């Protein structure tokens, strides 16, 4: 079974632009979570989607948004990019997202650089 | 979710067992212990998880103390490819798909 895939793998943008990142979960997985990883803050939870609905949200500004499609694929968008948004953005999928038995599997990430 | 405490870094000789400790003294009865690792700039890789019994899979063993306040991840025969940051996470049963990562332990396997 194919793993979680993320596109693009690398991205360079300039301040003020917006960016859209894509995540395809493992087949059959309906929950998709997004994380941001920076050297200073580590891995931080952004939000989670299940059945096309945002079910949980981390402490990030409204510039960070996402959505999920009926096939469980998810996108996240960052508007008005700031230098501090440079990070590795990780997507993880699980069957249902609930229940501590429901393991999350991560994709390889998208490395975003904001100049 | 319960907070976890891990040593910042550890070294291990290649071929020897790597024992990575994790303290989770405030863990609740419905919280599982999960271990992930992250090899430089890749996505975290799931290793193992458990509730109260010891667990073993093809990658590692997880030993949870009887009072569940701490656990140890054991890599039985560490290789250079096991060099990574290892994260111990406590996850509530029934919680939504949110993992809270600490700073983890950087394991350096040396030849």
């Amino acid at each position: 079974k194919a793993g979680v895939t993320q596109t693009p793998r690398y991205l360079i943008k300039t301040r003020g632009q917006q960016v859209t990142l894509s995540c395809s979960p493992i087949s059959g997985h309906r929950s998709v979570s997004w994380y941001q990883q920076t050297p200073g803050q580590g891995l931080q939870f952004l939000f989670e989607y299940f059945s096309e609905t945002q079910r949980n949200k981390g402490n990030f500004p409204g510039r960070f948004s996402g959505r999920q499609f009926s096939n469980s694929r998810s996108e996240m968008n960052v508007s008005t990019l700031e230098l501090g948004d440079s990070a590795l953005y990780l997507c993880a999928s699980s069957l249902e997202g609930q229940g501590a038995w429901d393991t999350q599997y991560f994709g390889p990430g998208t490395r975003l650089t904001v100049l | 979710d319960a907070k976890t405490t891990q040593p910042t870094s550890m070294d291990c000789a290649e071929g020897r067992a790597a024992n990575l400790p994790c303290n989770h003294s405030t863990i609740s009865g419905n919280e599982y212990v999960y271990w992930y690792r992250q090899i430089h700039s890749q996505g975290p890789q799931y290793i193992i998880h458990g509730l109260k019994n010891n667990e073993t899979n093809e990658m590692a063993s997880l030993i949870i103390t009887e009072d569940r306040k701490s656990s140890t991840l054991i890599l039985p025969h560490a290789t250079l490819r096991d060099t990574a940051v290892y994260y111990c996470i406590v996850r509530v049963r029934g919680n939504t798909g949110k993992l809270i990562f600490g700073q983890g332990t950087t394991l350096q396997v040396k030849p």
Side-chain angles (χ1 to χ4, degrees), chain B residues 49-107:
Chain B
H49 73 280
L51 182 62
K52 54 184 177 182
N53 297 319
N54 297 338
E55 302 287 344
T56 296
N57 62 21
E58 65 279 3
M59 288 184 67
S61 294
L62 174 61
I63 308 297
I64 302 174
T65 58
E66 193 167 343
D67 63 7
R68 304 210 323 120
K69 293 183 184 300
S70 65
S71 60
T72 300
L73 178 74
I74 300 173
L75 307 178
H77 306 286
T79 71
L80 298 179
R81 287 178 295 181
D82 292 322
T83 293
V85 179
Y86 287 78
Y87 295 98
C88 170
I89 298 165
V90 172
R91 188 173 176 200
V92 178
R93 191 205 309 262
N95 195 7
T96 57
K98 171 183 178 180
L99 298 177
I100 300 175
F101 287 83
Q103 295 305 307
T105 296
T106 299
L107 175 68

Side-chain angles (χ1 to χ4, degrees), chain A residues 33 35 37 56 97 100 102 104, chain B residues 32 34 36 38 91 96-97 99:
Chain A
S33 297
Y35 296 81
Q37 185 173 29
N56 204 353
D102 191 5
Q104 286 195 11
Chain B
Y32 281 68
Y34 271 77
Y36 284 81
Q38 187 175 27
R91 188 173 176 200
T96 57
L99 298 177

